[in-house]
Amino acid sequence: MISSSLALRRSQLAVATLFLVLGFNFSSWASRIPAIKNQLTLSTAQVGVLLLACGLGAVFSFPITAVLLQRLGSRRLCMLTGALLPLLLLSLSLVKNLQLAMLVMALEGVVVSCLNVAMNAQGVAVETLGQRAIMSRLHAVFSLGGLLGALFASAISRYSASLLLHFALCAALLWAAVILALPYLVADTQRAPSKAVSETKSGWRIAWPNAVAWWLGAIVMCGTVVENSMSDWSALYLKEVVRVAPELAPLGIACVSGAMLLARWFGDGWRMRWGAQRMLTIGGTLAGSGLAMALLLGGLIPALIGFALVGLGIAAVSPCVYTAAAKNGPVALASVTTMGSIGGLLGPPLIGFIAHASSFSWGMAVIALAAWLVAAGTRKVHWD
């Protein structure tokens, strides 16, 4: 019994480490977007193109992600993507032009989407084994990774402007974390084809998600548009609109990630008490209204308060939606998770294009609209 409990605890920590790795990786390069912009002499629209490449990578991963999960299993898929992710981060510091940067970011989109699916599948498996809700806390650890990544970026930026030094240190930390986590991941059970993925004589075929998965995917897509766009654009917004010093720019991501960490840490209990629909309705409204307030008032303090409200309000989206999707099977979870990755990776470049065509404030306003759409979309799903 003690051995079994210890093994379960180690598996929980191992999966949490993967969430930490993904959050730290994402926040690390997102925090340095102003530096990447300067290094490659990009316009705001070209930054949007760069982020679009990441989103397109996620889009093109959609037909293969569920198949990889079926063939490799979540454990081996975590191993593969965990090895590749730091390598791509390191490569981003070495590229010398927009074209190579786009290639790296496209591969980033594919790898992030696959790891996101695999680690959430591991999370569901561990939650099932332990018979205790942990998904919200796992996503809290992702937010913790984002917070740590932003603070680490701020500290490195204070002493060195070198992207290579920063990303090399990040890659070393991420590889070490992945190596420590892999032995304790849950072994995959038999991966039989399901309704969403079927094996035929001619090969593997991907079926379309059902109506429930489409609505859940739409909600999480809007949620990840908010989450990832705030991570990608908050530093640049503070630098170019609010005019803060470079070392203060990552504090926007820190506020979002810190608030999300707090909300997600207590989210499992809140979901059991109030229900997923009420949490997402109130949260989406709070996130959209908080960001709108920040944009209207202007200044550093209103921006940081507004960003924190966005993190607090949008934190419950991914845990609640992925938990609901898991009830429809692992491949439904893979489909919804991939849709969330697509939204999170396509949303930021859309914000960049709008900001370039009008103003940064209007681009950020689209993020507020996506948060309000989360609140509206909860009515279309029956939440158990």
Side-chain angles (χ1 to χ4, degrees), residues 35-307:
I36 296 170
K37 181 175 183 283
N38 291 336
Q39 177 171 294
L40 301 178
T41 61
L42 305 179
S43 67
T44 302
Q46 287 175 318
V47 173
V49 171
L50 186 62
L51 297 177
L52 177 62
C54 192
L56 290 176
V59 170
F60 286 112
S61 74
F62 181 77
I64 64 171
T65 302
V67 172
L68 287 176
L69 184 63
Q70 288 282 312
R71 288 187 170 182
L72 298 179
S74 60
R75 188 174 185 272
R76 284 193 289 177
L77 189 54
C78 286
M79 184 184 306
L80 174 63
T81 53
L84 290 176
L85 203 62
L87 183 62
L88 292 173
L89 183 62
L90 190 58
S91 299
L92 187 60
S93 68
L94 298 173
V95 295
K96 301 300 182 183
N97 56 59
L98 177 60
Q99 291 74 22
L100 287 176
M102 288 175 63
L103 176 61
V104 172
M105 292 301 287
L107 293 173
E108 171 85 6
V110 174
V111 173
V112 165
S113 182
C114 290
L115 178 57
N116 195 22
V117 170
M119 71 183 191
N120 274 283
Q122 279 282 316
V124 171
V126 173
E127 187 175 77
T128 301
L129 286 175
Q131 298 182 339
R132 179 183 178 186
I134 62 168
M135 286 296 287
S136 185
R137 289 199 172 186
L138 288 177
H139 285 266
V141 176
F142 172 85
S143 299
L144 175 61
L147 174 61
L148 293 177
L151 294 177
F152 187 68
S154 182
I156 292 294
S157 300
R158 183 180 297 271
Y159 296 103
S160 174
S162 172
L163 281 175
L164 178 58
L165 173 63
H166 178 199
F167 289 171
L169 292 173
C170 290
L173 291 172
L174 295 178
W175 271 321
V178 170
I179 290 171
L180 290 173
L182 286 178
Y184 303 106
L185 294 179
V186 176
D188 292 284
T189 56
Q190 183 178 0
R191 298 180 295 277
S194 69
K195 295 180 180 179
V197 177
S198 59
E199 187 176 16
T200 65
K201 293 181 180 180
S202 60
W204 289 76
R205 177 176 60 85
I206 305 295
W208 292 104
N210 59 25
V212 174
W214 277 116
W215 278 112
L216 289 172
I219 293 171
V220 79
M221 188 176 291
C222 289
T224 52
V225 164
V226 176
E227 184 176 345
N228 289 22
S229 295
M230 289 300 299
S231 296
D232 284 353
W233 290 110
S234 60
L236 205 57
Y237 173 82
L238 291 179
K239 182 176 181 292
E240 298 194 355
V241 178
V242 184
R243 305 290 183 183
V244 302
E247 62 268 20
L248 295 179
L251 293 182
I253 299 178
C255 283
V256 176
S257 298
M260 292 186 72
L261 170 62
L262 178 66
R264 284 176 169 172
W265 191 257
F266 297 102
D268 290 313
W270 293 348
R271 176 163 55 91
M272 296 300 294
R273 183 180 303 175
W274 297 319
Q277 182 176 2
R278 187 177 180 186
M279 282 184 66
L280 298 188
T281 301
I282 295 174
T285 303
L286 178 65
S289 301
L291 182 55
M293 174 207 70
L295 297 175
L296 290 173
L297 294 178
L300 177 60
I301 299 303
L304 295 181
I305 294 174
F307 292 176

